[in-house]
């Protein structure tokens, strides 16, 4: 049923189907997790809103790939499809929760030049989450890239910094 609902023309039904898939994934055995992961990636054209991605990518794609090859995320990061690019960075939220940051930072680098505001927000958010667990690592990334980051991405990444530090980053950006 969830695989049918994900193709619904109604956003709310697609959202419900993704929540069902997350729940099923959480209770599934490995073989079934792989099936759900593959289903998810085969239906990305229907996962076409920020809330659909944000509520499911980490909990399905990230969870599935945690102990596996991360190459599918890098393929998604280079996709022409906005939502697949967002899936790539948002999937790393699961890794961040497990204190694994390398793929988040690598995908953030790939997405630095992205033209879409929804990508800027997602990357900045994931960088901020890295900083919540390892501030030195986030700041090392920012020192290297802040001049080339879209302003929205940088603002999201430094949102929790002390006011003076935020101002210094934003001032140097000009």
């Amino acid at each position: 049923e969830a695989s049918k609902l994900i193709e619904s023309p109604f956003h709310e039904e697609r959202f419900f189907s993704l929540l069902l898939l997350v729940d099923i994934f959480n209770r599934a055995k490995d073989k079934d997790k792989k099936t759900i992961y593959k289903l998810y990636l085969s239906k990305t054209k229907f996962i076409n809103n920020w809330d659909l991605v944000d509520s499911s990518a980490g909990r399905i794609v990230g969870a599935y790939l945690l102990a596996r090859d991360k190459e599918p995320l890098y393929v998604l990061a280079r996709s022409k499809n906005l939502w697949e690019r967002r899936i790539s960075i948002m999937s790393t939220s699961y890794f961040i929760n497990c204190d694994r940051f390398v793929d988040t930072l690598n995908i953030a680098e790939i997405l630095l030049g992205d033209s879409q505001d929804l990508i800027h927000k997602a990357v900045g958010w994931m960088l901020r989450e890295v900083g919540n667990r390892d501030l030195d690592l986030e700041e090392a990334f920012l020192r290297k890239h802040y001049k080339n980051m879209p302003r929205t991405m940088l603002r999201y990444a430094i949102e929790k910094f002390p006011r003076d530090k935020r101002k210094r980053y934003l001032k140097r950006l000009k």
Side-chain angles (χ1 to χ4, degrees), residues 36-98:
I36 294 165
Y37 163 79
K38 286 185 169 191
L39 171 70
Y40 186 95
L41 291 183
S42 74
K43 302 290 185 179
T44 58
K45 72 179 182 179
F46 302 104
I47 306 170
N48 57 1
N49 201 312
W50 66 267
D51 63 334
L52 300 178
V53 173
D54 296 1
S55 64
S56 60
R59 298 165 75 192
I60 294 175
V61 178
Y64 183 76
L65 293 178
L66 181 66
R68 293 176 176 83
D69 181 14
K70 311 298 187 288
E71 184 57 27
L73 294 181
Y74 293 86
V75 171
L76 291 169
R78 292 178 175 91
S79 172
K80 292 183 189 299
N81 181 303
L82 160 70
W83 305 112
E84 289 184 352
R85 296 192 310 275
R86 189 162 174 118
I87 288 168
S88 73
I89 191 66
M90 293 307 299
S91 292
T92 70
S93 65
Y94 195 87
F95 307 161
I96 294 167
N97 289 333
C98 297

Side-chain angles (χ1 to χ4, degrees), residues 148-161:
N148 300 318
M149 292 174 80
R151 189 171 180 85
T152 300
M153 186 185 293
L154 179 60
R155 289 187 74 84
Y156 270 64
I158 64 174
E159 183 177 286
K160 302 286 172 111
F161 284 13

